[in-house]
Amino acid sequence: MNKNFLYRVIMLVCVVWFCLIQTHPVFAQKYTFSHFDIEDGLIQSQVNKFSMDSDHRLWIATFGGACRFDGKDFLGYSRQDGLPNNFVGTVFSDKTGHTWFGTLDGLAMLYNGKIKNYKPAISLKRNVVTSITQDGAGTVWVIMGYRLFKITGDKMQPAILSDSDKVTAVAVDSSGKLYAAVYQKGIYNLSGNKWVYSTPFNAKYGSVQVKEILFDRFDKQKIYILTWNGLYYISNNQIMPYAVKQMATVKEQLLSIAQDAFGDLWIGTDNGAYCIVDDDIIHYNSSNGLTDNSIADIYNDADNNLWLGSLGNGVYRCEGNKYVTFDGSQGLPDSKIVMALTLDWDNHILLGADGGGLIRYDGKKLTNIPTPKAPKALKGIQCLYTDKNKITWIGTSQSGLWQYDEKGFRQVKGSDEISYNCITADSSGIIWLATSMGCYYYENGLLKQLEGVSSFSSSLVVTGRDSLFIGTQNGIVLSLNKKVVNTFNQNLLKNCAILSMIKYHDIMLIGTDDRGLFAWDMKSGHLKNYTVNDGLKANAIYSLIADEFGKIWIGTGRGVNRMQFNADSKRFMVIDNTGSKEPIFETNQNAILYKDHQIWVGTTKAVMVYNTRVKMKPSPPPHILIESVKLMPKIGSNRDTNYVYLSDGARLNYNQNHLAISFLGIYLKNPDGVSYRYKLVGLDSTFCSPVKNNIVEYPSLPPGKYTFKVKSISPDGKVSAGTANFSFEIVPPFYRTLTFRISAVVFFVLIGFGLQNIWHHGKIQRQQVIEAMKREEKIKIRQQTAEDFHDDLGNKLTRIAILSEILNAKIDPNKIDQRGLVDQIKQNAAALYNGTKDILWALDPKSDNLYETLVHIKEIGIELFQDVPADFKFEGIDESLHQIKLPMEYSRNITMIFKESLNNVLKHAEANHVILQWMYIDKNEVRLRLIDDGKGFKCENITKGHGMHNIKARAKRINAELLIVSEEGRGTSVELKFRKNVAA
């Protein structure tokens, strides 16, 4: 594809929309760009436009379709998926989750996995879509065939502009106001429903064709205008050239524009990109990490990642100016691995190579230093150290220990056959050496071994005038005054191979071979471990150093980390702001050096030089989403084809309880560094520990309601703002439902109640039968007693009466006294006989109803008042009263109460009329009232004789209420209330 064709294509496509950047280019020596191309999954290598959706995934428009990038995988969309054309010139993700594609043959929209095509309401010569945006009100605007359209529902309605207007660019400012550039006219803005002609172009700029409109992020009054051949800005509604001096050096066509976080402008051209920094301009192309191809779009996403889309070489992401690489391209021999670093007497950097020899870097170039030849050649340099006397000590793996200064090289006597790993000096000037055969020290021209440390040692830290910590293959050893302190905590990191150590304030930082970094507080004794779970790139820690800001630089088995101490939490935090495309390399042991705001790190591939003053934008936390929830098949089924995707709120049967949940933390900068914490509410009480795996399976969930919650964590410990949630319910089998259980309980309770009721009714029936038998037996006894009493006592009384009459007939009439006694016997026998009638009546079962009781009382009254002037009345007794049964004791007590009352009236009242009344108070209560019109009496003067006492006792015996009312001269009333039983 030739350049002329590319230019024609670019003329049809609007190619920019930008902000923000990671690092400030003013400090750059060399920028680092991560590169993504078709081998990484990009759908096509000619990139036209970028956009970011609400889930923080990157959308890329190319000549071969569009694709979505989540930091790990690219998902492509093409004509086969419903796009009208594979040439996608622009892409835009709106606020509602719709993604819009502008193609060579019209507009398309993706939502919920389905692509919908749009056709304009008017006919156009060409349906090329060059720009898409959304205003503050949520309306989507599209430029197609240089006409501006408004998306209304399913239609593309033309904007209210003249048919002759040629709209070349649209943009929305921070307040949501829409601006449009019209060819040969100027800039319009939409105020309400009316277009306002805000910035007219005069004759000088009348032929300018606006490619992009960019609003300054810091100066709200400044608007940048990018054209094919120049950069302008609008101030006070006037257009004028911008950065004339800097832009004069740019000879290429201008294709895109963006502004970074520091206010610097980036411009994409047909030969790489430019960055305007204050009064300077920097060109980025293949010579410093980018490409010479055209940069059709530059995009700063919401997470501060800067993306550059090239026409033919894929996507680049700017990683900033964090480091410079010294390798073969800068003159470092590829065959030499730099194992050690130090400064010489001129403050130049010395690099010791494992392949042999020294290399000096004077700030401009690398120079090989001639070293002694055989038989005393410097082979396998392992460590370097420059003491206060400007003597450089060189420890090798094959040719002993050497000294190097302006006078040349000298080998230390007796140092052969020892491999040296680390060199340092104490305040007295004694040189200490960690070697493969233990710890040595050099004093007064003699090399001596420290007794007590005969095993492999690899690191040294001087912590006082006479104290030295020695890192060995079996923990740490303390030496005081050249003697090993055996009382030192021998269990501290025992069985750990110590590779590196430094003292940081009162904390000893200790790097191990496979257990990460340890921070040992030498005052409190507290030991804290940091591993890959805390953001380290590897658990093998080969080198440590602190910079001028107190930050710790850590050389690991897979790259370099930075850590910063937090005084509040009293712990170190990884603060790397690295990208996923940063090269992976293994650092060399103790090969680290700080000089002039730079950290030099020797690795197995090159020497990395890090800028400690580089400005780093804080990385935002990752965004979390649940990609899919699958209902997995039963055991024995095909797991790859028989699963079912579930939607939020799914209800599953009790045997549909094997779920696989996939989630993803969107962190485009370094997706491999994201970790996750999740829990299943309803099963787990807390979130799990951070894990790297983004798929979790639950093979056999019990019935219940669940909500899966997951959050993501960036490599430097920042947690996603929210959690991604997925709720579902596994319905229990009917026999385990609450309704069934309640029904079962109710059923068994009813069964129990029924059985209890049957038993109770049976018991009552048995009791009733027994009571009936007892009543029947009582009736028989009463009846038999009455008959026996009547026959026996009656006959005897009758015999007494007859004998009295016979005796009376035989007594001499003149014997008045004897005849009087016989009459008394006769009268008493008659009285006794009359008294027994009441007893016999009460004993008779026939008397146990209300009718018989009332009739008996009536008969008593008639008999009492038969020969006296008082008139006695008791009428209204009904035969139906036979149905009202009374308990056995009721009839006798009621009869005796009113017999006594009638006798009292006869004896004391001197009444003319005596009336006995009965009536129902209610259906279960009866009232009997005895009224006379006699002389009456005062109730408080009632004497408590046996008669009154008996009446009240009898009333109480049958739970009856007795009320006596009397007033002198106005008669007396005796009222008895009692309850009755109605026979069935």
Side-chain angles (χ1 to χ4, degrees), residues 927-947:
R927 180 177 67 187
L928 282 173
R929 178 186 294 172
L930 178 65
I931 304 172
D932 68 72
D933 59 354
K935 61 183 181 181
F937 58 88
K938 291 183 179 180
C939 292
E940 59 268 20
N941 293 334
I942 296 177
T943 59
K944 296 182 179 180
H946 290 294

Side-chain angles (χ1 to χ4, degrees), residues 685-698:
S685 59
T686 59
F687 283 91
C688 70
S689 300
V691 296
K692 292 290 185 180
N693 186 32
N694 67 328
I695 298 176
V696 60
E697 281 198 40
Y698 294 97

Side-chain angles (χ1 to χ4, degrees), residues 284-319:
Y284 297 97
N285 53 24
S286 60
S287 66
N288 52 11
L290 193 56
T291 178
D292 293 331
N293 288 4
S294 299
I295 302 299
D297 192 23
I298 308 174
Y299 182 68
N300 195 342
D301 66 25
D303 294 330
N304 295 334
N305 298 301
L306 184 67
W307 303 90
L308 299 95
S310 72
L311 292 176
N313 207 20
V315 175
Y316 289 84
R317 184 179 64 216
C318 180
E319 302 293 355

Side-chain angles (χ1 to χ4, degrees), residues 695-708:
I695 298 176
V696 60
E697 281 198 40
Y698 294 97
S700 185
L701 287 172
K705 292 184 178 180
Y706 299 97
T707 298
F708 181 79

